[in-house]
Amino acid sequence: DTEVTQTPKHLVMGMTNKKSLKCEQHMGHRAMYWYKQKAKKPPELMFVYSYEKLSINESVPSRFSPECPNSSLLNLHLHALQPEDSALYLCASRLEPGGGNTEAFFGQGTRLTVV
Amino acid sequence: DAKTTQPTSMDCAEGRAANLPCNHSTISGNEYVYWYRQIHSQGPQYIIHGLKNNETNEMASLIITEDRKSSTLILPHATLRDTAVYYCIVRPGNTGFQKLVFGTGTRLLVSP
């Protein structure tokens, strides 16, 4: 199994809603990532988890709240989002957090629309 | 991460080789060169990576210059399904470094 599974594939939410994005991998990877991608732009790193601990937060607004309940699961909790937060949210995982000799596996993303 | 420079877009005829260049003139000795691609509305897909030597796998070949300041990704027989944005990334090989940061990439269009 070399898949990173993201759910839901599409999500429409109001600015007062609370929702969560889910990411799951069963490859035994110990590093997991959240990225945000706007149309025609490259993915932008948001958070990095290493061994289930948050190790990097790229100055992301607090309305985005990541959580890593176990080594296979990564959540992104959303609250009071703005329309400009509409984007493709990508999850990725790597075998180990450090070291340059292992590739990252990406999920297919959640297309989020904030209305 | 060392910065990379790629052409914004390239065209290739189906069945021909696609050669995608990447400049990474500030690369350090322990930094790997990675290539990913992203087909429209999908997640990025790993293609290949290398440190010093040229590499080949079932998807592509990676040619790294001797001074390591640039590299070329080669898709030997491009198909329409290879139309995508191709990202060249360099990242350190030392333990503890965790980021994977994307540049602007090259939009490759393969035409019949």
Side-chain angles (χ1 to χ4, degrees), chain A residues 33 35 37 40-43 45 48 50 55-56 58 88 90 94 97-104 106-108 111, chain B residues 32 34 36 38 41-46 49 87 91-105 107:
Chain A
Y33 304 74
Y35 286 82
Q37 186 174 27
K40 298 192 185 305
K41 297 290 187 183
L45 184 64
V48 180
S50 300
S55 58
I56 295 176
E58 293 285 88
L88 180 67
L90 293 161
R94 287 181 71 228
N101 199 20
T102 57
E103 70 268 32
F106 283 80
Q108 293 304 295
R111 174 84 50 197
Chain B
Y32 287 79
Y34 275 78
Y36 287 81
Q38 188 173 23
S41 294
Q42 296 184 20
Q45 176 191 23
Y46 166 80
H49 74 281
Y87 296 101
R91 60 190 309 269
N94 55 295
T95 301
F97 194 85
Q98 304 172 50
K99 290 188 181 184
L100 182 63
V101 178
F102 288 81
T104 52
R107 191 170 297 271

Side-chain angles (χ1 to χ4, degrees), chain A residues 7-14 17-21 76 78 81 86-87 110-115:
Chain A
T7 54
K9 287 187 170 32
H10 301 274
L11 178 63
V12 179
M13 63 183 288
N17 291 161
K18 285 185 182 181
K19 296 286 185 183
S20 296
L21 309 184
L76 186 63
L78 313 172
L81 295 193
S86 298
T110 294
R111 174 84 50 197
L112 174 68
T113 304
V114 181
V115 296

Side-chain angles (χ1 to χ4, degrees), chain B residues 56-77:
Chain B
T56 295
N57 63 20
E58 64 278 3
M59 288 183 69
S61 294
L62 174 60
I63 309 297
I64 302 174
T65 57
E66 195 169 337
D67 63 7
R68 304 205 330 118
K69 292 183 186 298
S70 66
S71 60
T72 301
L73 178 75
I74 301 172
L75 308 178
H77 305 287

Side-chain angles (χ1 to χ4, degrees), chain A residues 34-81:
Chain A
W34 279 115
Y35 286 82
K36 173 183 177 178
Q37 186 174 27
K38 301 284 277 185
K40 298 192 185 305
K41 297 290 187 183
E44 293 177 34
L45 184 64
M46 299 175 72
F47 302 104
V48 180
Y49 270 83
S50 300
Y51 296 94
E52 300 157 53
K53 289 186 169 32
L54 181 65
S55 58
I56 295 176
N57 176 341
E58 293 285 88
S59 302
V60 178
S62 60
R63 58 186 184 269
F64 296 91
S65 175
E67 179 197 19
C68 191
N70 59 57
S71 60
S72 300
L73 190 55
L74 185 67
N75 297 320
L76 186 63
H77 302 298
L78 313 172
H79 172 56
L81 295 193

